[in-house]
């Protein structure tokens, strides 16, 4: 696709966002520690996923881009736009094409999250984990921080590791999410889970996620005393 065609397609997408998506979309943030909820979305748009700040949406005529809409009252869009500006072009990250009022237009990343790999028994190759290590080192070289990199924010596609959500990469506070995930990968997944092809139901993984968040919160409070 040449640059002129790409510009035209982006312009068409932005028109659809403003004329169709924005008027008909209803997003709520019920709890800042849980994913936002999409209560209403106009056809033919559909929801790809929800994070604690925003929902990621796609139009069938624009499968290579996604629109990340922040829920009302949830901060961070300016910070996320700055993160993408610093990241520039990198194979392990998405790319920001446009910053709108309350939303970003991003390159769509294809793959399966580590969360869903565990849930479905799909393999997580070692090289994908190494790709994430390299991508985080690159982010540090750009003045960023690998903050909140966890199983729902990391994907595997054709053996490569991708980081989906970098909205918190301006946060300088120490975060052990990726280190703890790497520890679990090397100490639990590779020797125990992968050889047996075990699957973990979604409710079990959600319980682990909530327990881990509580552990991190209590551990952080303990260090601050």
């Amino acid at each position: 696709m040449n640059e002129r065609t790409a510009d035209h397609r982006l312009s068409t997408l932005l028109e659809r966002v403003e004329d169709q998506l924005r008027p008909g979309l209803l997003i709520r943030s019920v709890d800042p520690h849980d994913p936002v909820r999409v209560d209403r979305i106009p056809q033919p748009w559909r929801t790809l996923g929800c994070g604690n700040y925003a929902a990621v949406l796609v139009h069938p005529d624009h499968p290579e881009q996604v629109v990340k809409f922040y829920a009302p009252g949830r901060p961070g869009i300016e910070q996320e736009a700055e993160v993408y500006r610093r990241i520039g072009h990198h194979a392990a990250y998405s790319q920001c094409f446009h910053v709108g009022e309350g939303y970003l237009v991003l390159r769509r990343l294809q793959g399966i999250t580590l969360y869903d790999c565990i849930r479905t028994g799909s393999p997580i190759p070692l090289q994908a984990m190494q790709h994430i290590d390299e991508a985080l080192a690159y982010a540090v070289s750009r003045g960023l921080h690998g903050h909140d990199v966890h199983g729902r924010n990391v994907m595997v596609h054709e053996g490569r590791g991708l980081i989906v959500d970098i909205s918190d990469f301006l946060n300088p506070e120490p975060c052990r999410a990726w280190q703890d995930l790497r520890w679990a990968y090397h100490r639990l997944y590779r020797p125990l889970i992968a050889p047996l092809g075990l699957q973990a139901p979604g409710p079990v993984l959600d319980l682990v996620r909530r327990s881990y968040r509580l552990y991190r919160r209590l551990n952080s409070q303990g260090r601050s005393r």
Side-chain angles (χ1 to χ4, degrees):
M1 184 185 300
N2 60 45
E3 185 174 346
R4 189 171 184 177
T5 302
D7 289 343
H8 174 72
R9 288 186 60 79
L10 177 59
S11 177
T12 302
L13 174 59
L14 294 178
E15 289 178 5
R16 285 172 166 159
V17 170
E18 296 296 338
D19 296 342
Q20 301 172 359
L21 183 58
R22 179 187 291 280
L25 184 65
L26 180 60
I27 302 178
R28 289 188 302 142
S29 176
V30 179
D31 187 314
H33 300 294
D34 289 327
V36 302
R37 297 181 183 177
V38 178
D39 291 333
R40 187 177 68 233
I41 182 171
Q43 294 294 329
W45 293 86
R46 66 185 181 92
T47 304
L48 282 183
C50 294
N52 292 355
Y53 301 95
V56 178
L57 316 163
V58 65
H59 190 284
D61 292 341
H62 303 271
E64 296 180 353
Q65 289 85 34
V66 295
V67 180
K68 183 173 183 177
F69 247 103
Y70 273 69
R74 298 301 291 156
I77 186 170
E78 295 86 1
Q79 291 84 350
E80 184 168 4
E82 171 62 15
V83 171
Y84 277 110
R85 187 192 68 80
R86 296 193 195 182
I87 286 291
H89 298 268
H90 191 282
Y93 298 102
S94 180
Q95 179 184 354
C96 184
F97 298 117
H98 178 79
V99 181
E101 185 179 346
Y103 69 90
L104 306 173
V105 177
L106 306 172
R107 177 172 64 90
R108 183 178 179 181
L109 296 177
Q110 302 284 353
I112 179 172
T113 66
L114 299 194
Y115 173 93
D116 284 330
C117 285
I118 298 296
R119 186 176 59 83
T120 62
S122 300
I124 304 174
L126 176 61
Q127 66 179 9
M129 304 294 286
Q130 294 169 340
H131 293 152
I132 301 303
D133 285 334
E134 294 165 2
L136 292 175
Y138 169 81
V140 171
S141 75
R142 306 295 291 178
L144 299 168
H145 312 274
H147 197 90
D148 203 29
V149 180
H150 53 74
R152 287 185 182 269
N153 286 347
V154 174
M155 291 199 310
V156 178
H157 179 61
E158 296 180 348
R160 292 201 60 85
L162 308 173
I163 301 178
V164 180
D165 188 353
I166 58 177
S167 57
D168 285 331
F169 273 32
L170 287 180
N171 189 341
E173 295 181 2
C175 178
R176 289 196 50 84
W178 176 245
Q179 289 92 328
D180 291 342
L181 186 57
R182 287 176 75 252
W183 182 92
Y185 176 83
H186 289 286
R187 300 296 181 89
L188 301 176
Y189 176 81
R190 291 197 75 194
L192 300 175
I193 297 176
L196 298 175
L198 298 178
Q199 302 177 14
V204 173
L205 291 176
D206 288 337
L207 176 61
V208 171
R209 179 180 64 88
R210 291 177 180 275
S211 300
Y212 177 68
R213 283 187 177 275
L214 177 61
Y215 162 77
R216 284 174 56 186
R217 197 174 305 134
L218 294 175
N219 195 42
S220 176
Q221 292 173 356
R223 288 197 305 266
S224 63
R225 290 175 181 171

